[in-house]
Amino acid sequence: MKRIIVSFFVALGLVSCSNAQKTEFSKEALADKMLTVDGTELTFSDILKKYEGKTVVIDVWASWCPDCIKGMPKVEALQKQFPEAVYLFLSYDKTPESWAKGIEKYAVKGEHYLILSKWKGGTFSNSIDLDWIPRYIILDKTGKIALYKAIEADDEKLISTIKNLN
């Protein structure tokens, strides 16, 4: 009986650890290349340095993603509720042209970067355990990850995290 109980708690501990929230991006993610709207290539690390000292809401999206488009009104509401936060949109669009059209078509307001590594099996997506878009990540003013994963912009944890950081 003791073995069963011990085995249960060991298994529970392993599951809990695998679902633990990350507080930092991996070296691979930080080194991954992204494109600015004007065509400049930057590393993700360089992008994050630009927003040090601010609460950052990262929205991983694509203009071809129906759930991303459907969620844009929730993002706009979040921007109205927390205008002091930086809204960093990281796109998995297939081309810079489709990405630019998507930003304009859906009137996406914020800071924009195109992820240059592929979505499935790419460096950035693997490093953030990306399994769905949209995906929201919240960074505190020191650049640490305060909320690792949300898939809705009106998620209660997401909203309370931003409130606690401001």
Side-chain angles (χ1 to χ4, degrees):
M1 185 65 173
K2 272 187 177 178
R3 284 187 187 163
I4 292 172
I5 293 171
V6 169
S7 296
F8 171 76
F9 283 108
V10 167
L12 182 65
L14 289 173
V15 169
S16 297
C17 288
S18 68
N19 289 328
Q21 173 169 301
K22 292 182 182 179
T23 58
E24 295 180 344
F25 291 103
S26 70
K27 289 178 186 171
E28 295 79 16
L30 292 170
D32 208 17
K33 300 279 185 174
M34 300 188 185
L35 196 65
T36 65
V37 176
D38 69 6
T40 305
E41 262 189 38
L42 295 173
T43 64
F44 185 50
S45 176
D46 291 335
I47 293 166
L48 294 179
K49 284 177 188 166
K50 293 169 77 172
Y51 307 108
E52 283 178 356
K54 298 184 183 273
T55 299
V56 178
V57 178
I58 297 175
D59 182 343
V60 182
W61 76 296
S63 67
W64 50 260
C65 166
D67 288 342
C68 299
I69 304 315
K70 191 169 62 176
M72 282 300 170
K74 293 177 185 179
V75 174
E76 290 171 16
L78 195 66
Q79 289 173 319
K80 286 180 183 157
Q81 187 175 357
F82 302 104
E84 65 285 347
V86 171
Y87 292 85
L88 187 56
F89 293 90
L90 305 180
S91 175
Y92 270 111
D93 271 276
K94 293 176 175 110
T95 67
E97 295 77 24
S98 62
W99 170 52
K101 285 179 188 173
I103 293 168
E104 186 178 333
K105 180 178 181 179
Y106 302 110
V108 184
K109 305 241 183 312
E111 305 297 314
H112 297 278
Y113 299 91
L114 180 65
I115 302 167
L116 296 178
S117 60
K118 60 186 176 179
W119 177 26
K120 298 203 178 190
T123 303
F124 188 74
S125 64
N126 283 349
S127 68
I128 65 165
D129 307 308
L130 188 66
D131 58 359
W132 194 261
I133 56 174
R135 163 75 177 276
Y136 303 95
I137 301 170
I138 309 296
L139 306 181
D140 68 16
K141 291 178 173 123
T142 69
K144 296 277 186 211
I145 299 172
L147 180 69
Y148 185 60
K149 182 178 183 179
I151 59 170
E152 296 281 343
D154 61 354
D155 181 288
E156 287 181 32
K157 277 175 111 173
L158 183 142
I159 291 168
S160 67
T161 299
I162 298 171
K163 277 183 187 173
N164 290 335
L165 294 175
N166 289 322

